[in-house]
Amino acid sequence: MELRHLVYFVTVAEERNFSRAAARLRVVQSGVSAAIRSLERELGVPLFERTSQRVALTDAGAALLPAARATIDAAQAARDVVDEVRGGLRGTLRIGTLISVGFVDLPGLLGQFRAEHPAVDLRLRAAPSGSAGLARSLLEGELDVAFLSLAGRPPAGLSLRVLAAEPIVAVLPAGHPLASRHAVTLDDLADEPFVDSPPGYGNRTEVDRGFAAAGLRRRVALEVADIATVAQYVRNGLGVALLPRFAAGEVDGVRALQVTGAPLRWTFGVATGSARRASAALRALLDLVDAYRIETPGWR
C-alpha cells in the first residue's frame, strides 16, 4: 500500500469531489482516479460511491479514513524528525478561522510564521458554518488548527487555548426606549426581535444557552454571518442584539448596555484535535501564537 494512495484517498474523502481533490493535490484528475482504483483493488472493496452528482464514502471507506489519516500523520512525524535535524520545517498546515475576527491580527501572525518557516504550506479556510463547523472539521481531521469561539467546555477530542474573553453586551438603537438605561436583563429583551449570528456561531450558542437557562424564549428576526456588521443592522432599526463587546464597537446610532443577571461571555481561542499528534509545524505555530499574543498590542 503506497502512502501516496492514502494521501489521495484522504483528499478525495475531504473534498467529496475528484476534480477538487486533484486541484488541491496539484495533479491531474486521471492520476487521482487511478490511485483510488489501485487502492480499491488492493483492499478488495470500493471506497467511494460515485455518481454524476456526488462522491460519498462507502462503509469501508469511512472505516479506512481514520487509519489512513493516522498513517499519514506517522509519516509526517518521520519527516519532521529529519527536517528538524536539517534545520527548517516543512509540510502543510490547514488552518480554519471565523469569517470575521477583527481584533486579532491573523494576517500579521501568519505573515510572521511564513517569514520564519517559508517551506511550510499554509492553507487558510474561513468557515461559513461558524465555530461548530470548524470544531467538526478538526474532529474529522480536515483541519490541523482553528481559531474559533466555543461556548462552554470544548467537545471531547479537542484541545483549546483561550486567547481572549469578552463580556456580551446588549446593543440597541439609540432611540430605543431601553437605551437610556445603564444595564438591561434578558427578561427586558425577551420580546424584542433579534439580529444574531446563525446557529453554530459561538456567540449565538452562548446567548441561546443564556435564554434557555433563564426559561425565556426569543425571536431571531435576522441572521448575519459577519459579526462585525450586526451593529449596523441594529442601528437601522432591524432589531436588538447581544454581542461580544468588541463587536459593538463605536457604531454611531447604537447604545451598548451591560447585561445583568446572566453571566454571558464570548471566548475566543485556538483549537487542535487532541487525538492526533501535533506536527512540528503545528507546534511552531502554537508557540508563535503564545508569543504573538503577549508581544502584539492589537491582540487582546
Side-chain angles (χ1 to χ4, degrees):
M1 186 180 298
E2 293 186 32
L3 180 64
R4 175 176 60 89
H5 290 174
L6 292 179
V7 172
Y8 285 15
F9 163 71
V10 169
T11 306
V12 174
E14 291 175 351
E15 296 292 340
R16 298 293 197 270
N17 182 282
F18 278 81
S19 297
R20 289 198 299 269
R24 180 169 141 190
L25 292 163
R26 298 175 186 172
V27 298
V28 296
Q29 183 177 334
S30 60
V32 176
S33 298
I36 298 302
R37 286 196 300 271
S38 175
L39 188 57
E40 289 176 327
R41 283 196 302 271
E42 184 174 356
L43 295 173
V45 291
L47 300 174
F48 295 100
E49 295 176 355
R50 305 163 176 85
T51 70
S52 57
Q53 279 82 32
R54 71 187 193 107
V55 174
L57 285 167
T58 63
D59 290 344
L64 175 62
L65 186 57
R69 285 182 171 136
T71 301
I72 294 168
D73 287 346
Q76 183 60 53
R79 294 190 190 97
D80 287 346
V81 171
V82 175
D83 288 341
E84 288 174 7
V85 171
R86 290 191 310 182
L89 298 180
R90 285 172 170 75
T92 299
L93 279 180
R94 299 163 300 170
I95 305 165
T97 184
L98 299 173
I99 289 176
S100 176
V101 188
F103 73 99
V104 169
D105 183 13
L106 190 57
L109 171 73
L110 296 182
Q112 183 174 338
F113 183 87
R114 169 59 57 79
E116 295 177 5
H117 308 290
V120 177
D121 183 17
L122 299 179
R123 297 179 181 172
L124 184 65
R125 178 172 100 190
S129 54
S131 293
L134 291 171
R136 282 194 302 272
S137 293
L138 282 170
L139 290 170
E140 293 171 1
E142 296 176 4
L143 293 174
D144 300 305
V145 61
F147 294 87
L148 44 63
S149 169
L150 293 174
R153 299 182 65 178
L158 290 189
S159 297
L160 177 70
R161 302 185 188 194
V162 175
L163 303 178
E166 291 265 322
I168 289 178
V169 298
V171 182
L172 283 65
H176 193 281
L178 298 175
S180 60
R181 295 190 184 184
H182 294 293
V184 291
T185 65
L186 295 185
D187 191 57
D188 292 330
L189 302 174
D191 293 331
E192 300 284 342
F194 275 80
V195 183
D196 209 336
S197 301
Y201 282 59
N203 55 300
R204 171 72 178 265
T205 302
E206 177 72 358
V207 171
D208 284 347
R209 286 170 47 151
F211 271 89
L216 298 170
R217 301 184 66 178
R218 64 174 182 141
R219 179 173 66 90
V220 177
L222 291 178
E223 293 181 347
V224 180
D226 186 352
I227 193 174
T229 65
V230 171
Q232 303 288 346
Y233 289 87
V234 172
R235 182 185 67 178
N236 285 281
L238 294 166
V240 303
L242 288 165
L243 294 173
R245 185 171 53 192
F246 81 89
E250 299 294 331
V251 178
D252 292 335
V254 303
R255 286 284 317 280
L257 308 178
Q258 180 184 358
V259 179
T260 59
L264 299 178
R265 289 189 72 78
W266 176 89
T267 57
F268 176 78
V270 58
T272 57
S274 56
R276 300 180 65 193
R277 177 189 177 278
S279 67
L282 177 55
R283 295 196 302 272
L285 177 64
L286 295 176
D287 288 344
L288 183 59
V289 167
D290 289 339
Y292 204 83
R293 179 162 52 105
I294 295 170
E295 298 170 2
T296 306
W299 192 308
R300 294 193 226 165

